[in-house]
Structures are given as C-alpha cells and as structure tokens.
Amino acid sequence: MGYTPLAGLPMGSRSGDIDPSIVLKLIKDEGYSVDEVSEILHNRSGLFGLSGSSDSLTVERGFEKGDPEYVLAFKVFAYSLRKILGAYSAVLNNTVDCVIFTGGIGENSLLLHSLVCENLLPVSHDYYSRHNAVSDISGDQGLNGPRVLVVKTNEELAIARECVKIMKDQ
C-alpha cells in the first residue's frame, strides 16, 4: 500500500496502480469533478470496474466459463500481482525465500496461484491442501526457487487477542 489503499493491486472496487494521467483526463477532458473521480477510483474500479462484480469468487467462476470481462479482470489482477512480486524480487536481489498467499482470494484460488506463479517461480501446485493452516504448495520436487505457501488468516482471532490485551492494560 502506498499513501492510500488505492495504490498497489487492483481490489474488488479500488483501482490499484494506474497512470496518474488518467485522473487528469477524467477531470480535464471528460468533465468529472474531483469528488466523482475519487468515487470512481475507490468504489467503481478494480474487479468491479473491469467485470461488473467486486466478488473475486464470481470473477474466478466467470473466468473459468470464459466470460471475456471476467477473464480480463482476473488476468489484470494476476498480472498486477506478478508485477509486484517481480519488483520485490529485484529489490531483494532475487533472494526471495518464500511467497505467501493469504486472505480470501490468496487462500482459496488455485487459479490465482497458477497464473501468478506460472513462468515466474519454479514451483508445482500438486500438494495444495485447503485443510492445513499452512500449506506448502511448492511441492517436494527439490526445485530451486522460493517456497510458495498458503497461510490461512484468522482476522477475527487477531482482533479479539488485541482487544484482550487492551482490556488487561486498563
């Protein structure tokens, strides 16, 4: 994330990284107000703007059915993630030990894992298991390269633990 949650990956309804000139074009040439552009970037972009749905599961199912808008949305998301991973890898002098998928789409989308890791990381997805808290999907083939893990999140538990800490401090 950058200065705001708009930066980075396109999300369900947020734009992610875009060419800044798009904002200028919308205001100068298309007549949108600053507030209208903000509304578009925050609430009508990302997966929603590309496909009409902000739900990643709906977009993935549409991709699997070959619906062009869903295919585009899912590919844009996967491409953006690949681009970020490539940039981080370069910053780390290609010494990446592990790539971790987490959160709803990261935990549950074999398609995303495949599209992101394809030709980027020497991994296999044969050992993926949705039932483990941490699943190593890089396989056991002795491949060189970073491990790829799927780590289940439990945000509610993390929030509850922080609340208990705060309550103990009072």
Side-chain angles (χ1 to χ4, degrees):
M1 184 168 73
Y3 179 67
T4 72
L6 283 179
L9 289 173
M11 301 304 288
S13 64
R14 292 192 299 262
S15 65
D17 291 339
I18 62 169
D19 182 332
S21 292
I22 292 171
V23 173
L24 300 175
K25 175 161 181 54
L26 289 172
I27 293 169
K28 287 174 57 180
D29 298 342
E30 304 300 325
Y32 287 94
S33 70
V34 171
D35 288 341
E36 288 171 324
V37 172
S38 180
E39 167 67 18
I40 291 168
L41 295 175
H42 284 90
N43 299 313
R44 293 191 279 148
S45 295
L47 295 177
F48 178 78
L50 293 166
S51 72
S53 176
S54 61
D55 178 64
S56 61
L57 183 57
T58 299
V59 174
E60 183 171 353
R61 287 181 179 151
F63 177 99
E64 291 168 348
K65 292 178 183 175
D67 182 305
E69 291 176 338
Y70 290 121
V71 169
L72 175 64
F74 208 85
K75 282 186 171 183
V76 165
F77 183 79
Y79 170 82
S80 298
L81 185 50
R82 285 172 58 98
K83 190 166 76 168
I84 289 170
L85 284 172
Y88 286 162
S89 178
V91 168
L92 296 169
N93 296 317
N94 293 317
T95 57
V96 176
D97 296 318
C98 186
V99 173
I100 300 173
F101 288 95
T102 192
I105 191 170
E107 289 176 31
N108 299 303
S109 178
L110 289 171
L111 175 62
L112 180 67
H113 305 158
S114 175
L115 289 174
V116 169
C117 294
E118 176 183 53
N119 301 321
L120 179 66
L121 303 169
V123 298
S124 167
H125 303 289
D126 296 337
Y127 296 94
Y128 176 75
S129 169
R130 293 174 192 260
H131 304 293
N132 295 329
V134 176
S135 301
D136 186 341
I137 61 172
S138 46
D140 192 21
Q141 284 102 48
L143 296 171
N144 293 326
R147 292 178 63 203
V148 178
L149 302 177
V150 174
V151 178
K152 292 199 178 283
T153 56
N154 190 338
E155 294 165 343
E156 292 83 3
L157 180 59
I159 292 168
R161 286 180 175 156
E162 290 302 314
C163 289
V164 168
K165 283 183 192 175
I166 292 169
M167 296 302 288
K168 285 182 178 178
D169 291 341
Q170 292 184 353

